[in-house]
Amino acid sequence: MIAARSLTVRYGQLVALDGVDLDVAPGQIFGLIGPNGAGKTTLIRVLTGLLVPESGQATIGGFDVLRQERDARRRLGYMPDFFGIYDHLTVREYLQLFGELNGLAGPGLAGAIEQALAAVRLKLKKDELVDHLSRGMTQRLALARTLLHDPDAFVLDEPASGLDPAARIELWDILRGLTQRGKAVLISSHILKEMEGLVTHVGLLERGRLLYSGPYETLVKAGATRRVRFRPVGDVPPERVVGLLTEHGGRLSGVPGDAYWEVELADDDAAVAALVGRLVAAGVGISLPPVAEDRLERAFLALTGRDAS
Amino acid sequence: MIALLKKELRVSVREKSTWLLLASMPACFVACGLLGLNEPTYAGAPRLMAADAGRQLLSYALYTQVFAVMLFVPILAATNLVREGDRKTLDVLMTTPRSGVELALAKLLSPALLALGSCLLVLPLLIALPLLGGVRPWEPLAGFAAIALAALVASAGGLAAGALARTTAAAVSLAALAAGFTCLSTAWTGLGPRTDLITAAFPPGVVRAIVECDGVELFGHEVPLLLPALAFLPLAGSCLFLASLPALSSRFRRRALPVRATGTAALAVGMAYLALVVASGSSTRDLHDCAAGMAFFACMFSTALVLIERLDQGGFLRTLPGSAEAEAIAAGGWARSFAASTAGLALLPAAATLPALGILLTRGLSGPGTDDPRFVLVLGAPIYSVAWALLLAGASRAVAFRGRVWAEPALTAILPGALLAYGASWRVFSHANELIGVDPIGVLIPFVSASYDSAHYLFASGVVHTTATAVTAAFVWTFATLIARSRPTR
């Protein structure tokens, strides 16, 4: 649905994109990840026809984004990193504008607006000025605009940037819903954690080169290790504990004596279970750390009465 | 197209700044109209005085409306476009199935329509003027058509400014300066004492009629007060429209050569047209006046462009060392590097005068009066423009301190500002000038201001000032280069 072939973009001697090949099929959420300056936005601008590449071709739904731009754009829903919103229009006026620009009119347009507003849960705000919406609502409105003409392909540039956890979870749910309807979604981010649990496929972009492009699971399983954190409790000397870890192929990445030790093991449930059994048999008590990174988010969701799942 | 236009109008109407700008138009009209009525020039029977007042009111109304449109519409158009770029809404619009021409037309028409809407507020009063006598019933409508034309051209100029500049401040400054230039050129060409040079192609008596606000014989009818539109349309203002369309695309924002080449070509076409008109049947003195005028505008353009480039935090291109754009420029060889530099920018207006001056020279070489020293100054005018442009570029280069955004335009403005102040002091020191025989404004633009009564003085003044400017430019460039070596500049 979204495809790139040998895309190259240069700014003088700087190669912004170097022969990038990419495919996003219907039903996929393709996460384009890479550090700032890797070329993500350049690639997105080429895919949306906003930037002309030095060589190569980009297509949406089989249509060249430069030579068959009207056909390609009819199949594209694009959301830039700043959302592209007019503050002085109401929600309804904003959607009406882009519906008309995409060729919708009359009852068809009114129905599409209602559907899009329902999908992003903004029905109650339809007569408010965009200026009065929160950032999360603004972002949902931008998404509603991309949904209006029911495109087959979505290209979203850093859509979760600056969103609160609840808004991000809502956005992820909407995107998953789109893929269930056979849409192709390309989403960029420089925050890898954002992509966990959302994307089905990943493109790893670094200095204009696509280092990996394929299924998410394949990427994370290749050479994957599992990191385990624990604190030994009891009278067993630390040197003995280190010896036991080494015997089981564990690599200590933390410093003994820290609050919690961090051990890197093969990503295998049996290996982890064997190590724990051996430590317990040797009289080492094991204390596990709390899931610190989720605590704040979970507390927030619990207090606001939202469903963490 | 309709959807886009509707959006443009809705968004603009809900901006407070739009109303502040537009409300000033009827205010200007009322103020100027009252001033006009306070100075009746015709004494006699009440009926004739009323007729005279009616004519004056119409004249003042149309003048103020056109000037207000030319000042405010470019600012509206430029800020509108730059905001679209900043908010990425332009990107979103450009990914819809609509064409770039539709987008450009909507952007072009919306500020013009808003301004016309504001002008409509006084249209009922204008239509009532024929009741006073002295104004024919269709004259206010003809004047209103001229305002509409002016609004379109002004909007095109604003769009071009918005497409070229990166920051809102720079876009507004560029638009305001372009608008100021257009007003000035209108006053100069349409209302000033040298109108006959610029509008020589018009039928006999038209210019006098325009200046005196009398009727003009056209197609068997007397058509009055089409003055500003007729006068300034052949100039660069109308050509900016051509430049605005390609520049609108964000793709062109990072490409110096196409934008600058288009702008220069548009300016050159306007000036060449002007030269053709003047050269078609004029004396040596006329040719010199035209060349002097072009040098004057080239210097004004250079000054404005360099100041705006400084205000735009590094120019129309982000040429900071190591940036992608700087790399692209460096890879393009010396021609691209020069085009992207401040000197290349400052020299554009001078380059645009060359075809026009070629026309004047061709006409002059075969015509009478080639032994007149003033004729040499036709050639001297572009040389002076080049020297002035290099002087400004050098000054700009010398003060381009990295990270001190406020300092760059401020310090760059010192040189032209000081010279302008010196020139402006002419009135104050006019008595002294008579005593010592020196014309201070000649220091700024010797070709424009020198006396026609002394051709030899004019020649000597031109040579001396051009040489002095060139020497100063060389000195400033050397100074700037030494600074550039000691610290990174852009």
Side-chain angles (χ1 to χ4, degrees):
Chain A
M1 185 58 64
I2 303 172
R5 293 286 170 268
S6 307
L7 286 182
T8 299
V9 174
R10 289 176 206 274
Y11 299 119
Q13 292 175 339
L14 180 78
V15 183
L17 290 180
D18 187 5
V20 170
D21 288 298
L22 184 91
D23 280 293
V24 185
Q28 289 182 358
I29 299 182
F30 188 99
L32 186 63
I33 57 178
N36 287 328
K40 300 188 297 294
T41 299
T42 301
L43 177 55
I44 282 179
R45 289 181 71 78
V46 173
L47 289 174
T48 52
L50 291 170
L51 183 68
V52 181
E54 185 179 297
S55 63
Q57 185 191 34
T59 59
I60 301 285
F63 294 101
D64 190 305
V65 296
L66 295 177
R67 292 180 188 85
Q68 301 159 296
E69 56 182 3
R70 289 204 177 206
D71 289 320
R73 288 173 182 179
R74 282 198 186 96
R75 288 157 180 80
L76 171 69
Y78 168 56
M79 189 164 97
D81 47 356
F82 279 86
F83 303 156
I85 296 288
Y86 295 104
D87 290 343
H88 294 297
L89 294 181
T90 65
V91 168
R92 190 206 302 267
E93 286 168 351
Y94 178 74
L95 293 178
Q96 199 170 346
L97 163 69
F98 282 95
E100 289 174 8
L101 292 180
N102 281 291
L104 300 175
L109 174 59
I113 291 174
E114 289 299 317
Q115 276 185 7
L117 286 174
V120 299
R121 293 196 291 156
L122 275 181
K123 267 190 152 182
L124 293 176
K125 301 282 182 185
K126 60 185 172 188
D127 291 319
E128 284 206 25
L129 282 176
V130 173
D131 200 21
H132 297 166
L133 300 182
S134 68
R135 183 175 171 83
M137 287 178 186
T138 306
Q139 177 263 357
R140 273 149 55 191
L141 174 60
L143 190 63
R145 190 229 326 127
T146 64
L147 297 172
L148 261 184
H149 58 294
D150 195 26
D152 299 323
F154 291 82
V155 175
L156 315 175
D157 193 2
E158 306 262 4
S161 167
L163 291 185
D164 63 50
R168 197 173 68 240
I169 289 166
E170 282 177 4
L171 173 64
W172 280 189
D173 286 345
I174 292 168
L175 295 182
R176 286 193 194 97
L178 289 174
T179 55
Q180 284 165 8
R181 289 166 49 205
K183 309 292 183 185
V185 178
L186 185 144
I187 177 172
S188 82
S189 178
H190 65 280
I191 303 169
L192 305 188
K193 194 170 175 295
E194 273 186 7
M195 300 292 199
E196 298 276 0
L198 172 72
V199 298
T200 60
H201 290 69
V202 175
L204 204 60
L205 201 62
E206 168 73 3
R207 294 185 184 180
R209 297 188 67 190
L210 203 57
L211 302 179
Y212 173 83
S213 177
Y216 168 79
E217 287 300 329
T218 308
L219 175 68
V220 293
K221 279 192 175 170
T225 58
R226 184 182 303 183
R227 282 187 293 179
V228 178
R229 299 182 78 201
F230 74 99
R231 184 167 59 205
V233 181
D235 299 330
V236 180
E239 299 79 22
R240 171 67 181 143
V241 180
V242 172
L244 289 169
L245 292 174
T246 311
E247 283 172 22
H248 280 76
R251 195 162 61 85
L252 193 67
S253 51
V255 180
D258 281 357
Y260 289 98
W261 295 20
E262 193 169 286
V263 181
E264 201 169 315
L265 296 163
D267 188 16
D268 177 11
D269 289 340
V272 176
L275 174 63
V276 172
R278 184 72 182 90
L279 287 172
V280 171
V284 181
I286 294 175
S287 171
L288 298 175
V291 187
E293 58 269 32
D294 284 342
R295 280 191 302 177
L296 190 58
E297 188 168 316
R298 282 172 182 275
F300 168 81
L301 293 170
L303 282 171
T304 53
R306 297 170 198 251
D307 183 2
S309 62
Chain B
M1 172 68 184
I2 297 295
L4 281 169
L5 200 54
K6 215 161 56 182
K7 182 273 291 180
E8 296 291 344
L9 292 175
R10 266 187 186 145
V11 170
S12 298
V13 161
R14 289 172 189 170
E15 294 265 7
K16 284 178 191 164
S17 55
T18 305
W19 286 104
L20 285 175
L21 285 175
L22 296 182
S24 58
M25 290 192 192
C28 280
F29 161 73
V30 171
C32 294
L34 288 175
L35 282 175
L37 283 176
N38 283 338
E39 295 175 2
T41 56
Y42 191 91
R47 191 177 62 82
L48 292 176
M49 285 185 71
D52 185 56
R55 285 208 63 77
Q56 279 191 42
L57 194 54
L58 180 65
S59 169
Y60 275 101
L62 293 181
Y63 269 81
T64 51
Q65 300 280 50
V66 166
F67 277 109
V69 159
M70 286 194 297
L71 277 175
F72 299 139
V73 169
I75 294 173
L76 281 178
T79 49
N80 184 318
L81 188 59
V82 172
R83 278 183 191 162
E84 289 259 19
D86 288 347
R87 294 173 182 172
K88 296 285 179 85
T89 45
L90 194 59
D91 281 359
V92 175
L93 286 176
M94 289 173 75
T95 52
T96 64
R98 300 296 165 179
S99 70
V101 173
E102 277 180 273
L103 296 178
L105 281 176
K107 293 272 167 219
L108 178 77
L109 290 176
S110 62
L113 287 177
L114 277 173
L116 286 179
S118 174
C119 292
L120 275 175
L121 294 176
V122 294
L123 190 60
L125 184 60
L126 294 184
I127 290 174
L129 285 180
L131 297 176
L132 296 173
V135 176
R136 292 163 190 80
W138 50 268
E139 283 181 358
L141 294 175
F144 199 75
I147 294 173
L149 209 54
L152 275 179
V153 174
S155 181
L159 267 190
L164 286 170
R166 192 183 318 115
T167 62
T168 307
V172 170
S173 306
L174 187 59
L177 280 167
F181 160 74
T182 316
C183 285
L184 190 64
S185 65
T186 302
W188 190 59
T189 59
L191 312 172
R194 294 170 187 163
T195 310
D196 55 326
L197 301 176
I198 308 303
T199 51
F202 293 166
V206 168
V207 173
R208 176 177 293 276
I210 286 174
V211 172
E212 296 176 0
C213 299
D214 281 342
V216 171
E217 193 70 18
L218 204 64
F219 305 117
H221 298 285
E222 199 172 352
V223 181
L225 300 171
L226 289 175
L227 46 126
L230 282 176
F232 82 80
L233 272 180
L235 289 178
S238 59
C239 295
L240 282 174
F241 174 62
L242 297 174
S244 71
L245 286 177
L248 184 64
S249 165
S250 59
R251 291 171 196 164
F252 281 80
R253 282 189 146 196
R254 290 182 174 182
R255 293 182 184 180
L257 281 174
V259 172
R260 294 184 177 184
T262 309
T264 310
L267 200 58
V269 167
M271 292 213 174
Y273 172 79
L274 204 63
L276 206 60
V277 169
V278 174
S280 60
S282 304
S283 68
T284 301
R285 174 178 161 170
D286 297 336
L287 301 185
H288 161 251
D289 274 5
C290 190
M294 283 173 186
F296 178 69
F297 283 126
C299 291
M300 277 183 57
F301 265 127
S302 293
T303 309
L305 288 175
V306 170
L307 286 175
I308 288 163
E309 191 195 37
R310 284 295 127 214
L311 194 65
D312 204 20
Q313 300 170 19
F316 298 144
L317 288 172
R318 192 177 290 278
T319 51
L320 291 172
S323 70
E325 289 81 1
E327 298 277 350
I329 291 164
W334 70 268
R336 188 177 287 269
S337 298
F338 180 75
S341 68
T342 307
L345 181 70
L347 282 169
L348 287 184
T353 63
L354 291 179
L357 290 165
I359 292 170
L360 296 183
L361 278 174
T362 309
R363 158 68 179 80
L365 288 173
S366 58
T370 48
D371 55 339
D372 188 327
R374 286 180 299 219
F375 176 69
V376 181
L377 292 180
V378 175
L379 190 61
I383 297 173
Y384 183 81
S385 310
V386 169
W388 176 259
L390 289 177
L391 179 60
L392 275 174
S396 165
R397 184 177 156 87
V399 300
F401 299 115
R402 285 185 67 180
R404 296 184 186 177
V405 175
W406 61 270
E408 295 180 14
L411 291 176
T412 308
I414 283 178
L415 178 66
L419 288 175
L420 281 171
Y422 181 51
S425 67
W426 175 69
R427 284 184 181 277
V428 178
F429 296 107
S430 59
H431 184 64
N433 293 335
E434 287 172 11
L435 293 178
I436 60 175
V438 174
D439 180 6
I441 203 168
V443 173
L444 181 62
I445 308 290
F447 304 97
V448 173
S449 58
S451 165
Y452 292 108
D453 298 331
S454 172
H456 292 288
Y457 167 75
L458 177 64
F459 178 70
S461 170
V463 169
V464 167
H465 288 306
T466 304
T467 308
T469 307
V471 168
T472 313
F475 174 77
V476 170
W477 268 98
T478 309
F479 176 65
T481 305
L482 289 175
I483 290 181
R485 281 181 186 162
S486 65
R487 80 181 81 187
T489 59
R490 57 190 178 208

